[in-house]
Amino acid sequence: MSNSNIAAHLFQPLTIKSVTLRNRIGVSPMCEYSSEDGVATDWHLVHLGSRAVGGAGLVIAEATAVSPEGRITPGDAGIWADKHIEPIARINRFIKQHGAVPGIQLAHAGRKASAQLPWQGGAHLADDNGGWQTLAPSAVAFGDPLNKIPRTLTETEILQVQNNFVAAAKRALATGIEWLELHFAHGYLAHEFLSPISNQRTDKYGGTFENRIRFALETTHAVRAVWPDKLPFTVRISATDWIDGGWDLNQSIELARRLKTEGVDLIDCSSGGNVALAKIPVGAGYQIEFAEKIRREAGISTATVGMITEPTHADEIIRNGRADLVLLAREFLREPYWPRIAAEKLGQKDKLPPPNQYARAW
Ligand code: 531
């Protein structure tokens, strides 16, 4: 059979533009809340570096704020200043040395910003206790435990936030990042524009579907203009709010089509995060259908994420063309060497030779 007829599997490389991932396994962006004024620390080198050594094809650094007020917590990563570049660049050099591709997720937390670290409770910080003014499409609070009512962004401030995303993308390029992801999911700023639950604007950024996707499309268009065409340009969305009258899969499919025309190479399909009381049927692979439907109906590459833990399950997703890439989050926190263990279980050890220092153990 010609190569194009061979069903892809978990350890088949994935080439997007000029970048090739050694396999279909990616480290999902996961907040570590361990930065000082946004600056990466030794924690991040070890955390991300060990998962590159562990065999991931792609290592996406956590949600990295494009402005200080765009952080979820004071411990969030940032890339709003040039001082952030070298600490990230050092980590990226290590990731590349060990055969993985370094990625980053650019983010603005919107009305979910100004929160305590999760292990401090995760609630909004009081203004006199390190908190700051939160910003959003509309003056509508998320809800327990994030009850602060955000200030409505003016059109001038919207442009400023978009400029922050552009400046952040330029800095990300300077760090040696090769895979860019815009964070349009999980109830953060861009998602707050998309969803009619959180977006109650009456100007050109609110009301109709076309108006609600405007922020996302404009931001994507602006970042596309500065991100090299040869490097993967991707977006994470929440495919649904899991509530009637909210953002849903049909709107996500149409948004994906529009993002594809704006030059986006892959949609990373998650869900939820914008409706505090939504009932989400969490379970093994509960979000795969979103990646599958968007991949087929929008004709764009997709990543899936969400409670995937078993090598045979991840392999099945790729073999059946349900997604092009499988991202693991908590499972990678439990097992940095998950790809090496998966390679053994799937009889693909030859695809993932260990580093020389560890050869005797594998
Ligand atoms: C978990 C989460 C997943 C899906 C919806 C809402 C929340 N994560 C998301 C992280 C922050 C910590 C909680 C980000 O997306 C930045």
Side-chain angles (χ1 to χ4, degrees), residues 28-33 62-64 72 76 105 107 109 112 118 142 181 183 185-188 191 236 238 242 270-274 280 286-287 305 330:
S28 180
M30 289 182 279
C31 291
E32 298 305 302
Y33 310 105
E62 67 194 83
T64 302
I72 305 165
D76 278 37
Q105 183 185 56
K112 298 176 88 172
F142 172 76
E181 176 170 285
H183 199 344
H186 295 173
Y188 301 119
H191 185 176
R236 171 170 280 190
S238 281
W242 296 104
S270 187
S271 77
N274 195 41
I280 303 179
Y286 73 109
Q287 299 179 141
V305 63
R330 278 166 287 189

Side-chain angles (χ1 to χ4, degrees), residues 159-225:
L159 181 60
Q160 181 55 51
V161 170
Q162 293 170 328
N163 290 340
N164 291 345
F165 270 94
V166 171
K170 290 177 183 172
R171 291 191 195 97
L173 187 62
T175 71
I177 286 287
E178 297 182 341
W179 181 288
L180 194 68
E181 176 170 285
L182 301 184
H183 199 344
F184 289 173
H186 295 173
Y188 301 119
L189 186 64
H191 185 176
E192 292 162 11
F193 274 97
L194 296 173
S195 171
I197 303 290
S198 39
N199 180 347
Q200 290 161 21
R201 298 179 77 96
T202 55
D203 64 2
K204 68 178 183 180
Y205 289 100
T208 64
F209 171 79
E210 202 60 39
N211 281 358
R212 287 183 282 109
I213 69 170
R214 193 180 307 281
F215 175 84
L217 290 190
E218 288 179 344
T219 306
T220 300
H221 185 83
V223 172
R224 173 76 278 179

Side-chain angles (χ1 to χ4, degrees), residues 237-305:
I237 64 168
S238 281
T240 179
D241 281 341
W242 296 104
I243 194 165
D244 289 344
W247 181 257
D248 62 19
L249 180 56
N250 284 335
Q251 293 175 78
S252 291
I253 291 167
E254 185 51 34
L255 173 63
R257 291 182 180 127
R258 303 292 297 277
L259 291 171
K260 181 181 178 184
T261 60
E262 288 295 338
V264 170
D265 298 307
L266 175 141
I267 307 290
D268 174 3
C269 305
S270 187
S271 77
N274 195 41
V275 179
L277 300 178
K279 292 279 169 282
I280 303 179
V282 175
Y286 73 109
Q287 299 179 141
I288 297 169
E289 65 168 306
F290 304 135
E292 186 169 16
K293 293 214 174 95
I294 288 170
R295 188 172 190 265
R296 299 215 164 115
E297 298 186 31
I300 189 169
S301 296
T302 58
T304 188
V305 63

Side-chain angles (χ1 to χ4, degrees), residues 81-94:
D82 289 351
K83 70 173 184 180
H84 295 119
I85 293 172
E86 181 47 32
I88 297 172
R90 181 198 177 200
I91 295 168
N92 291 342
R93 288 192 291 271
F94 184 90

Side-chain angles (χ1 to χ4, degrees), residues 68-74 76 108-116 123-125 131-135 146 148 187-188 192:
E69 67 276 3
R71 289 176 291 179
I72 305 165
T73 78
D76 278 37
H108 189 299
R111 66 182 182 175
K112 298 176 88 172
S114 182
Q116 300 166 335
H124 266 145
L125 288 161
W132 58 90
Q133 174 66 59
T134 54
L135 303 167
L146 303 173
K148 281 171 79 160
Y188 301 119
E192 292 162 11

